[in-house]
């Protein structure tokens, strides 16, 4: 039933934010306190997937390849972290001027700002996740952990490697009333070091 997956991209840095059923979890300290409070209004079992938007601000030195912005919906058993269900949905870029206008204050020389949405053909997968979780009894739901994670992959365009690559992400949902900052100025190279990627970002295929 839940078999829709997006292939992993080995060797490319990934910035991940996890939204749990009970709130937000992040391994880094770049999540604004105001975001944590605002996300109390976000219910991933009730939110309209068609209205979800992900915005990414990143330097000109890198690119987010097609399929590089991904949402993963996961249910794990709390007792042993066994994955009971997983969906990976690739976002698609949208050229909505209205969405970009909401983030006009983020426009900056040397940076790109791109907006992504869930493709219409992937919306049913998100809704099936919502329906599955909602149909569980309270006792069964207490035994599992539902996560919505957002991952952004990047690759390097230039020969000269920047000393740092700062990326910011923003989320929009109907109940949030607009875009909110998820993670601001997160260093992709720093995360590569943390997960053992000694060589850092790979070169983009078009830059080789």
């Amino acid at each position: 039933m839940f078999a829709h997956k997006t292939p992993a991209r080995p060797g490319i840095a990934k910035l991940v934010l996890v939204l749990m059923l009970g709130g937000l979890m992040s391994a880094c300290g770049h999540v604004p306190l105001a975001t944590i409070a605002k996300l109390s209004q976000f219910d991933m079992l009730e939110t309209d997937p068609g209205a979800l938007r992900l915005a990414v601000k990143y330097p000109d030195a890198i690119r987010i390849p097609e399929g590089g912005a991904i949402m993963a919906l996961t249910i794990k058993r709390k007792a042993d972290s066994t994955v009971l269900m997983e969906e990976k949905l690739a976002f698609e870029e949208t050229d909505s001027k209205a969405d970009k206008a909401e983030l006009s204050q983020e426009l900056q020389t040397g940076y790109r700002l791109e907006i992504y949405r869930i493709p219409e053909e992937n919306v049913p997968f998100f809704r099936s996740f919502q329906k599955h979780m909602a149909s569980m009894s309270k006792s069964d739901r207490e035994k599992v952990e539902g996560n919505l994670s957002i991952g952004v992959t990047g690759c390097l365009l230039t020969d000269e490697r920047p000393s740092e690559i700062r990326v910011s992400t923003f989320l929009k949902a109907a109940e949030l009333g607009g875009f909110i900052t998820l993670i601001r100025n997160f260093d992709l190279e720093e995360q590569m070091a943390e997960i053992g990627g000694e060589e850092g970002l790979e070169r983009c295929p078009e830059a080789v």
Side-chain angles (χ1 to χ4, degrees), residues 17-75:
L17 181 80
V18 178
L19 306 177
M20 304 177 69
L21 282 177
L24 176 148
M25 175 184 72
S26 176
C28 68
H30 296 256
V31 181
L33 291 177
T35 293
I36 297 175
K38 191 75 173 177
L39 279 172
S40 65
Q41 303 172 30
F42 179 80
D43 184 347
M44 68 179 186
L45 298 187
E46 298 291 338
T47 195
D48 176 7
L52 285 176
R53 295 291 184 274
L54 172 67
V56 185
K57 176 183 175 182
Y58 61 92
D60 286 337
I62 71 170
R63 284 293 182 271
I64 297 174
E66 184 177 354
I70 296 171
M71 171 184 290
L73 303 170
T74 308
I75 299 176

Side-chain angles (χ1 to χ4, degrees), residues 93-139:
E93 189 175 352
T94 173
D95 58 0
S96 169
K97 294 181 179 179
D99 284 330
K100 278 201 172 182
E102 291 186 44
L103 290 169
S104 59
Q105 73 278 6
E106 298 295 335
L107 298 176
Q108 181 181 349
T109 301
Y111 280 80
R112 297 170 65 92
L113 179 67
E114 294 180 348
I115 313 290
Y116 299 87
R117 66 183 179 186
I118 299 176
E120 288 187 16
E121 62 268 24
N122 286 344
V123 169
F125 288 101
F126 193 106
R127 294 196 185 280
S128 67
F129 172 85
Q130 292 175 312
K131 183 178 180 180
H132 179 74
M133 289 296 296
S135 67
M136 297 175 68
S137 67
K138 182 179 179 181
S139 60

Side-chain angles (χ1 to χ4, degrees), residues 193-208:
E194 290 178 0
I195 64 177
E198 296 179 359
E199 297 181 359
L201 293 176
E202 291 183 350
R203 291 290 300 280
C204 297
E206 63 267 33
V208 175

